[in-house]
Amino acid sequence: MYTYNHSLANINSLLSEASRHNIEHTLDPTIRDSKANTNWSPAPPDHTPSVVFFPHTTHETSIILKACNDRCIAVTPFSGGTSFGGALAATKGGVCISFERMKSIIAVHEDDLDVVVQPGLGWVELNEDLKERGLFFPVDPAPGAKIGGMIAMSCSGTNAYHYGTMKENVISLTCVLPSGNVVKTHNRPRKSSAGYDLTHLLIGSEGTLALVTEVVLRLSPLPRNLHVGLANFSTFQEGVQVVVSLQKLGHRLEALELADGPTMQSVNVSGLAPQRTFREVPTLFFKVAGPSMHIVQEQISTMKELCKTQGASSVEITQQEDEMNIIWGARKCMGTALLAMKKNSKDIFLHSDCAVPISNLANLVAGTQDLIAQASAAHQASWFCANVGHIGDGNVHSSIVCPQEHYEVAMSVIMKITRLALSLEGTVTGEHGIGLKLREALAEEVGDDGVTMMRSIKSALDPKGVLNPDKVFKIEKEGSAPKL
Amino acid sequence: MYTYNHSLANINSLLSEASRHNIEHTLDPTIRDSKANTNWSPAPPDHTPSVVFFPHTTHETSIILKACNDRCIAVTPFSGGTSFGGALAATKGGVCISFERMKSIIAVHEDDLDVVVQPGLGWVELNEDLKERGLFFPVDPAPGAKIGGMIAMSCSGTNAYHYGTMKENVISLTCVLPSGNVVKTHNRPRKSSAGYDLTHLLIGSEGTLALVTEVVLRLSPLPRNLHVGLANFSTFQEGVQVVVSLQKLGHRLEALELADGPTMQSVNVSGLAPQRTFREVPTLFFKVAGPSMHIVQEQISTMKELCKTQGASSVEITQQEDEMNIIWGARKCMGTALLAMKKNSKDIFLHSDCAVPISNLANLVAGTQDLIAQASAAHQASWFCANVGHIGDGNVHSSIVCPQEHYEVAMSVIMKITRLALSLEGTVTGEHGIGLKLREALAEEVGDDGVTMMRSIKSALDPKGVLNPDKVFKIEKEGSAPKL
């Protein structure tokens, strides 16, 4: 049984310890609230931390985490705050450790294509800095995301199809355990088979096992001879089939994204891409790049041919910067554009994050459309349903916009979509993580024994359960301490 | 404190349980010895298991592992038996579970580019089967290696530079824990952020955490328009520089391997590549392939230019099948060819497996040559020293051939090379694993706190310490049970 002591006396003792080491912190209610309760992931007031600490170094992080562990005070880490599903909520109260003061680039190794950074650095800022060297870090989630949170959630984005997710782009981590021990999981070589893969164990562990304080990231050369393209189809399946054929031929484009008709409608309605009106049919967005123009031309002609074979009604490809920005801008705005489909400002917006083997993707989307249409009809409402996918990875975000009073039933439809993905050999979350909301779905995905296995790892590395309790799985199983 | 009960009565009780479930097993001394004591990794007679089990299914594996765990009987798993460094030795005695009866291909998903297999299947046999579909599994260690052991050791080979190691090519695992619980870590989608990454935790864990009984592997289309090339340089550094320049340009060849002059000498002396005599200078071996001949030609001309810039004395590239086989055959025979440099049949052959960031690779090789020359001179002997590397990954195997009586001092030189790699921000093992021999080196790489972190994961998943005890780290730390 885990017990926490969040009494005023205990918190004050922690504050004294922090002051003794000059560790920056605040009790400001607005700041405290902002660390747990975000637009992306609202949390109730009792899930607000009592203090927010701002360590500047690995050493300070170690001091404060050990002090919390010694006092049985729960710790919720904070990075960019763009995650979904409740990963930031301080469910047990306790304190927040925010990494916003640790945002330096420590070293860039151009010949090795890697960079050493602190966890509070944003990927956008990192790429701004790397641009002049002709390099970039390819993982591209929400613009506000920071490296620490990106590791915690094992995120990805539109570049994952070509460059991989965080799992493929983190070389090593320095982390602090609840004991205060500091472990560097790995040095800087590209590969290693030296013992357990602690790096990957921490990626996606949502801050429940250790706090990451320094990271070596893999870099890539900036794409050359970039072209952006767009193809219209009459069905989602046609777009999927282009991707399947492409990969069998051994081509790997820079990016491949597929949006259905309603998603394209939302782009038009939103006014977020005002430079042109898009056709409201399934649309494949893609990027092509390569070390030479010949190589790119070759890929473009293959792509045109495959789109034609699948019955594309139009294919356009451009390397004009302004046109590329308009087309890719339309893809990038979709997350926000879907909000424009609210008929009433109080309407709610829910979405899934399933990924399936690509051969099952069209079935997932068709099944999703059916589920939403059925629920919508049963409630004599016209819910808005849209699907947009990181198609190369089989990852699709299905969205529902519906009246607020349908929240419960819409949530149950999202869960049905998630179960449909599982029945199609998929995962309940491709890139957003489990947080609080998908804990039961996780148990359906890996089984109770899988969750028990995770729980026993948690218990081994964080015996008092102080690190981000209740995320990924409930900290306690039916009131008792976890055991295998 | 872990205690094992390998008494005859306890082993007999296990055998009764196995017989009750019709689980195939043998007491044959030759077979028992062959599971622990191999040419690659000799083990003394007291490291031989008492019984070898041959489960046919996940269920049988679960029954036998649980029965061992219930009885505190140590279990050493066996797959292909090609690993180095003692991973197969039954240090505590106990039993062996061999996966040679579980070697089926369960399903091939061509559109998803994945395959479901059992752990006893060899990668060579898998690729034989996949060939007619135009697909292959790219991880290429020793020809006798089986998928289960490849996962255990997190191996790689000459294709890792392009396709990644086991870490990048395993999608999911079904594993059996000592409790007998069966966990499937993941379904079949290409990406997931659903909870802890149990897949990667098991890859490279050397059979110390769970036994893998089913695997989903990522496949790739067979390379098209394959060319094989060879370039001669006057220094190792020049070859390294070609690779650095190539990756900055965004080119990724199929394979890049660099051998030094003495390695090339061993190829000539061995007679293993009799069709031609190779120049005994640093030699870059490479493969170029791509979806079209235009793309390949483009890469070839870039490669030729970069080799010329670095002062290559010759560059040849061919797509004639017989010539490709001769050149790549020379690369592939090196592991055996080096044995030909023994002056006396009792001479010993030792090698390292370090990987460093590529910018430090030439320093590692130069430092290695110095260390070996110094030791050789100090012993008034002429040790043979050779270096061959998976250059794109910064992974180099440095070999010593020397008289048997120099074993201890040669081993200490290998450890010095390993420490040199650590000082150059490298790893003590790029692809062979820790086994018994590199346990102290692992502690130097990840620190005592890193090993303690691994040890506590081991203790959580295998509380009685039955699974492959003493591999990766000693099962007990100074006589006491592990704790964080």
Side-chain angles (χ1 to χ4, degrees):
Chain A
M1 181 82 177
Y2 295 106
T3 49
Y4 302 94
N5 178 352
H6 296 157
S7 69
L8 194 57
N10 205 35
I11 297 285
N12 278 337
S13 151
L14 179 67
L15 289 174
S16 303
E17 177 79 1
S19 298
R20 208 164 64 78
H21 292 280
N22 284 317
I23 295 170
E24 188 183 344
H25 56 272
T26 183
L27 300 172
D28 181 298
T30 311
I31 296 176
R32 289 191 292 113
D33 177 69
S34 73
K35 301 304 177 197
N37 178 28
T38 66
N39 282 338
W40 304 105
S41 192
D46 64 340
H47 286 183
T48 304
S50 304
V51 194
V52 181
F53 292 97
F54 304 97
H56 289 240
T57 61
T58 298
H59 182 61
E60 285 189 0
T61 308
S62 169
I63 289 170
I64 202 68
L65 180 54
K66 181 177 188 308
C68 291
N69 190 56
D70 288 347
R71 290 166 180 77
C72 295
I73 293 172
V75 174
T76 307
F78 184 89
S79 173
T82 57
S83 68
F84 300 105
L88 304 168
T91 55
K92 305 284 185 196
V95 307
C96 170
I97 297 183
S98 172
F99 287 96
E100 61 212 82
R101 302 288 184 267
M102 293 174 68
K103 56 181 181 186
S104 298
I105 297 175
I106 295 168
V108 182
H109 304 107
E110 290 193 37
D111 281 358
D112 300 321
L113 293 180
D114 72 48
V115 63
V116 187
V117 303
Q118 290 185 309
L121 181 70
W123 67 274
V124 171
E125 290 74 34
L126 172 61
N127 283 340
E128 205 50 56
D129 189 278
L130 291 171
K131 196 159 56 180
E132 64 182 20
R133 301 175 193 252
L135 300 174
F136 81 127
F137 179 65
V139 186
D140 61 334
K146 313 295 182 198
I147 300 298
M150 290 164 69
I151 290 166
M153 307 314 284
S154 189
C155 75
S156 42
T158 64
N159 289 329
Y161 157 71
H162 186 99
Y163 296 94
T165 71
M166 288 305 279
K167 289 188 167 94
E168 287 79 31
N169 286 285
V170 174
I171 293 174
S172 102
L173 301 172
T174 300
C175 69
V176 180
L177 290 162
S179 60
N181 283 355
V182 177
V183 172
K184 187 171 179 187
T185 57
H186 190 65
N187 281 320
R188 285 204 298 114
R190 281 300 165 113
K191 72 178 193 188
S192 171
S193 55
Y196 300 172
D197 188 345
L198 302 176
T199 313
H200 278 98
L201 179 62
L202 295 182
I203 299 171
S205 67
E206 307 196 8
T208 63
L209 298 177
L211 299 180
V212 170
T213 58
E214 197 173 298
V215 192
V216 185
L217 299 173
R218 182 186 287 247
L219 301 178
S220 294
L222 276 169
R224 296 172 186 220
N225 307 301
L226 184 67
H227 288 62
V228 166
L230 177 149
N232 292 133
F233 297 91
S234 51
T235 68
F236 207 82
Q237 173 62 32
E238 289 166 357
V240 170
Q241 212 48 50
V242 170
V243 179
V244 169
S245 306
L246 199 65
Q247 72 183 12
K248 278 194 188 166
L249 288 173
H251 280 289
R252 176 164 289 219
L253 303 195
E254 275 291 298
L256 274 167
E257 302 276 311
L258 184 59
D260 67 1
T263 305
M264 297 311 298
Q265 184 195 356
S266 77
V267 171
N268 288 334
V269 170
S270 72
L272 290 170
Q275 303 88 342
R276 69 181 273 181
T277 303
F278 291 89
R279 291 186 57 203
E280 297 175 1
V281 295
T283 303
L284 188 61
F285 291 78
F286 53 95
K287 286 183 182 173
V288 188
S292 84
M293 195 58 106
H294 275 113
I295 291 176
V296 171
Q297 288 299 355
E298 186 96 12
Q299 293 195 2
I300 287 175
S301 68
T302 304
M303 191 63 184
K304 280 185 176 165
E305 212 174 289
L306 291 175
C307 286
K308 205 171 137 192
T309 307
Q310 289 302 323
S313 56
S314 72
V315 184
E316 62 176 279
I317 298 173
T318 177
Q319 65 168 147
Q320 297 300 318
E321 183 120 9
D322 51 350
E323 291 176 21
M324 291 199 297
N325 288 339
I326 291 170
I327 295 174
W328 208 255
R331 166 60 194 96
K332 277 292 196 180
C333 79
M334 286 172 187
T336 314
L338 288 163
L339 297 174
M341 303 315 288
K342 290 184 178 183
K343 291 177 189 157
N344 181 311
S345 68
K346 288 190 173 165
D347 278 0
I348 51 167
F349 171 58
L350 297 173
H351 54 88
S352 67
D353 173 39
C354 302
V356 292
I358 195 164
S359 64
N360 289 336
L361 191 56
N363 285 340
L364 176 64
V365 170
T368 296
Q369 287 163 336
D370 285 350
L371 283 167
I372 296 177
Q374 282 163 21
S376 178
H379 289 79
Q380 294 170 319
S382 63
W383 294 3
F384 177 76
C385 155
N387 296 279
V388 52
H390 305 309
I391 181 88
D393 306 315
N395 185 200
V396 65
H397 303 304
S398 303
S399 302
I400 297 172
V401 179
C402 69
Q404 199 178 16
E405 61 269 27
H406 292 162
Y407 175 81
E408 294 297 336
V409 60
M411 267 308 291
S412 80
V413 173
I414 292 285
M415 284 313 297
K416 280 183 191 166
I417 295 169
T418 302
R419 288 204 180 96
L420 175 63
L422 287 178
S423 76
L424 294 168
E425 296 187 76
T427 178
V428 302
T429 173
E431 58 182 11
H432 294 168
I434 298 295
L436 294 171
K437 288 212 174 146
L438 287 172
R439 293 180 301 188
E440 284 173 32
L442 175 67
E444 292 183 37
E445 180 165 342
V446 298
D448 286 340
D449 289 340
V451 175
T452 300
M453 190 171 167
M454 294 181 193
R455 209 188 281 275
S456 54
I457 294 166
K458 162 79 172 171
S459 174
L461 299 182
D462 178 18
K464 295 184 178 179
V466 298
L467 272 173
N468 213 6
D470 288 328
K471 311 306 155 53
V472 186
F473 41 78
K474 285 188 182 147
I475 186 73
E476 281 159 8
K477 191 179 176 180
E478 293 159 21
S480 65
K483 57 183 167 191
L484 196 64
Chain B
M1 180 83 176
Y2 295 105
T3 50
Y4 302 94
N5 178 351
H6 296 157
S7 69
L8 194 58
N10 205 35
I11 298 284
N12 278 336
S13 149
L14 177 68
L15 289 174
S16 303
E17 177 80 1
S19 298
R20 208 164 65 79
H21 292 279
N22 284 318
I23 296 171
E24 188 185 343
H25 56 274
T26 183
L27 300 172
D28 181 297
T30 311
I31 296 175
R32 290 191 291 113
D33 177 69
S34 72
K35 301 304 176 196
N37 178 30
T38 66
N39 282 338
W40 305 105
S41 192
D46 63 340
H47 287 183
T48 304
S50 304
V51 194
V52 181
F53 292 98
F54 305 97
H56 289 240
T57 62
T58 298
H59 183 60
E60 285 189 0
T61 308
S62 170
I63 289 170
I64 203 68
L65 180 55
K66 182 176 188 307
C68 290
N69 190 56
D70 288 346
R71 290 166 180 77
C72 295
I73 293 172
V75 174
T76 307
F78 183 90
S79 173
T82 57
S83 68
F84 300 105
L88 303 169
T91 56
K92 304 285 186 197
V95 308
C96 170
I97 297 183
S98 172
F99 287 96
E100 61 212 84
R101 302 287 184 267
M102 292 174 68
K103 55 182 181 185
S104 298
I105 297 174
I106 296 168
V108 182
H109 303 107
E110 289 193 38
D111 281 358
D112 300 321
L113 293 181
D114 71 48
V115 62
V116 187
V117 303
Q118 290 185 309
L121 182 70
W123 67 274
V124 171
E125 290 75 34
L126 172 61
N127 283 340
E128 205 50 55
D129 189 276
L130 292 170
K131 197 159 53 179
E132 64 182 22
R133 301 175 194 250
L135 301 174
F136 81 127
F137 179 64
V139 186
D140 61 333
K146 312 295 182 199
I147 299 299
M150 291 164 68
I151 290 166
M153 307 313 284
S154 189
C155 74
S156 42
T158 64
N159 288 329
Y161 156 71
H162 187 99
Y163 295 93
T165 70
M166 288 305 280
K167 289 189 167 95
E168 287 78 32
N169 286 284
V170 174
I171 293 174
S172 102
L173 301 171
T174 300
C175 69
V176 179
L177 291 162
S179 60
N181 284 356
V182 177
V183 172
K184 186 171 179 188
T185 57
H186 190 64
N187 281 321
R188 285 204 298 115
R190 281 302 165 112
K191 71 179 193 188
S192 171
S193 55
Y196 301 172
D197 187 345
L198 302 175
T199 313
H200 278 98
L201 179 63
L202 295 182
I203 299 171
S205 67
E206 307 196 8
T208 64
L209 298 177
L211 299 181
V212 170
T213 57
E214 196 173 299
V215 193
V216 184
L217 299 172
R218 181 186 288 246
L219 300 178
S220 294
L222 276 170
R224 297 173 185 220
N225 307 299
L226 184 67
H227 288 63
V228 166
L230 176 149
N232 291 133
F233 296 92
S234 50
T235 68
F236 207 83
Q237 173 62 32
E238 289 166 358
V240 170
Q241 212 47 50
V242 170
V243 179
V244 169
S245 306
L246 198 66
Q247 72 183 12
K248 279 193 187 166
L249 288 173
H251 280 289
R252 176 164 288 221
L253 304 196
E254 276 290 300
L256 274 167
E257 302 276 311
L258 185 58
D260 66 1
T263 305
M264 297 311 297
Q265 184 194 356
S266 78
V267 171
N268 289 333
V269 170
S270 72
L272 291 170
Q275 303 88 342
R276 69 182 273 181
T277 302
F278 291 89
R279 290 185 58 202
E280 296 175 2
V281 295
T283 303
L284 188 61
F285 291 79
F286 54 95
K287 286 183 182 173
V288 188
S292 83
M293 195 58 106
H294 275 114
I295 291 177
V296 171
Q297 290 298 356
E298 187 96 13
Q299 294 194 2
I300 287 174
S301 70
T302 304
M303 191 63 185
K304 280 184 174 163
E305 211 174 291
L306 290 175
C307 287
K308 204 172 139 193
T309 307
Q310 288 302 323
S313 56
S314 72
V315 185
E316 62 177 279
I317 298 173
T318 177
Q319 66 167 147
Q320 297 300 318
E321 184 120 9
D322 52 348
E323 291 175 23
M324 292 200 296
N325 287 339
I326 291 170
I327 295 174
W328 208 255
R331 167 59 195 98
K332 276 292 195 181
C333 80
M334 286 172 187
T336 313
L338 288 162
L339 297 174
M341 302 315 287
K342 291 183 177 182
K343 290 177 189 155
N344 181 311
S345 68
K346 288 190 172 163
D347 279 359
I348 52 167
F349 171 59
L350 298 173
H351 54 88
S352 67
D353 174 39
C354 302
V356 293
I358 195 164
S359 65
N360 289 336
L361 191 56
N363 285 340
L364 175 64
V365 170
T368 295
Q369 287 164 336
D370 284 351
L371 283 167
I372 295 177
Q374 282 163 22
S376 178
H379 289 79
Q380 295 171 317
S382 62
W383 293 4
F384 178 76
C385 155
N387 296 278
V388 52
H390 304 309
I391 181 87
D393 305 314
N395 184 200
V396 64
H397 302 305
S398 303
S399 302
I400 297 174
V401 179
C402 69
Q404 198 178 17
E405 62 267 28
H406 291 161
Y407 175 80
E408 292 297 336
V409 59
M411 267 308 293
S412 80
V413 172
I414 292 285
M415 284 312 299
K416 280 183 189 165
I417 294 168
T418 302
R419 288 204 180 94
L420 175 63
L422 288 177
S423 76
L424 294 168
E425 296 187 77
T427 178
V428 303
T429 173
E431 57 181 11
H432 294 167
I434 298 295
L436 294 170
K437 287 213 173 143
L438 287 172
R439 292 180 301 188
E440 286 173 31
L442 175 67
E444 292 183 36
E445 179 165 342
V446 298
D448 286 340
D449 289 340
V451 174
T452 300
M453 190 171 167
M454 293 181 193
R455 209 188 282 275
S456 54
I457 294 166
K458 162 78 172 171
S459 173
L461 299 182
D462 178 19
K464 295 183 178 179
V466 298
L467 272 175
N468 213 5
D470 289 327
K471 309 307 154 54
V472 185
F473 42 78
K474 286 188 182 147
I475 185 75
E476 281 159 8
K477 191 179 177 180
E478 292 161 21
S480 65
K483 56 183 167 189
L484 196 64

